[in-house]
Amino acid sequence: MRRLCVGWREEFTCLCPATGQPDFALLRLLYFPNKRCVELKSLKQYIASFRDVGGYHEDVSNKILDDLISVLDPKLLQINAKFNVRGGTYPTIRCVHKNPDWANVELPKYFNEKNYCFLLEQKFLLSKLLFFVASFYIVSFHWINSS
């Protein structure tokens, strides 16, 4: 039987319950599905629904974990929420759920969570860099042609 690992990365926003100011985070989701997968567009819309919700970092991260567990019943689900600086600290919240029936199953040898998350981040940064370079060339081209 083939093992499927789903990795997903998204920018995340919620509101600080004390000040009402937005809290920004980089949300990484990594899971091994059991019988169900979540549609990525639906997941993105669900994550975006927290934009106007006030909650502490830990509460919001655990709420997302609990909601996804109730819908997916995954073998393994991990959420890493790396929040931007707030009050001089850089909070990173990590929530993990492992299905008890899957507790003794070894992960595939090629799976290395640290490297996998690093590769996801590098892919995202490369896409941002390429977008910036393309935008720069388009602006430069229009500026040169309009001169």
Side-chain angles (χ1 to χ4, degrees):
M1 184 170 148
R2 182 175 288 163
R3 289 196 183 126
L4 174 66
C5 176
V6 179
W8 185 77
R9 181 181 182 283
E10 183 68 30
E11 292 175 351
F12 173 75
T13 307
C14 63
L15 297 177
C16 174
T19 64
Q21 297 293 315
D23 280 330
F24 300 98
L26 180 61
L27 189 69
R28 289 190 192 116
L29 177 106
L30 188 66
Y31 73 99
F32 287 86
N34 197 358
K35 294 179 182 175
R36 293 180 292 244
C37 289
V38 65
E39 178 195 21
L40 295 180
K41 183 176 180 180
S42 299
L43 181 60
K44 184 174 183 138
Q45 290 173 341
Y46 167 72
I47 296 300
S49 72
F50 284 89
R51 230 174 241 154
D52 298 324
V53 175
Y56 294 104
H57 300 156
E58 298 85 355
D59 294 337
V60 172
S61 301
N62 279 300
K63 168 89 169 111
I64 293 170
L65 181 80
D66 292 340
D67 289 348
L68 290 175
I69 289 169
S70 67
V71 171
L72 298 174
D73 185 34
K75 297 175 183 175
L76 176 73
L77 172 61
Q78 176 179 310
I79 293 175
N80 290 329
K82 187 176 181 180
F83 285 87
N84 288 356
V85 65
R86 172 66 73 156
T89 63
Y90 297 87
T92 299
I93 311 302
R94 181 178 182 184
C95 307
V96 180
H97 164 78
K98 192 170 189 179
N99 191 322
D101 298 334
W102 207 59
N104 296 324
V105 176
E106 285 186 37
L107 295 177
K109 291 181 182 178
Y110 62 83
F111 180 76
N112 180 325
E113 172 197 332
K114 184 176 178 182
N115 289 341
Y116 183 78
C117 289
F118 176 76
L119 290 174
L120 279 177
E121 188 168 321
Q122 295 305 313
K123 182 179 177 184
F124 178 77
L125 292 175
L126 181 61
S127 67
K128 291 275 191 185
L129 177 65
L130 290 175
F131 176 76
F132 173 75
V133 170
S135 301
F136 177 76
Y137 281 117
I138 290 170
V139 168
S140 299
F141 179 75
H142 287 296
W143 182 74
I144 291 170
N145 286 341
S146 65
S147 298

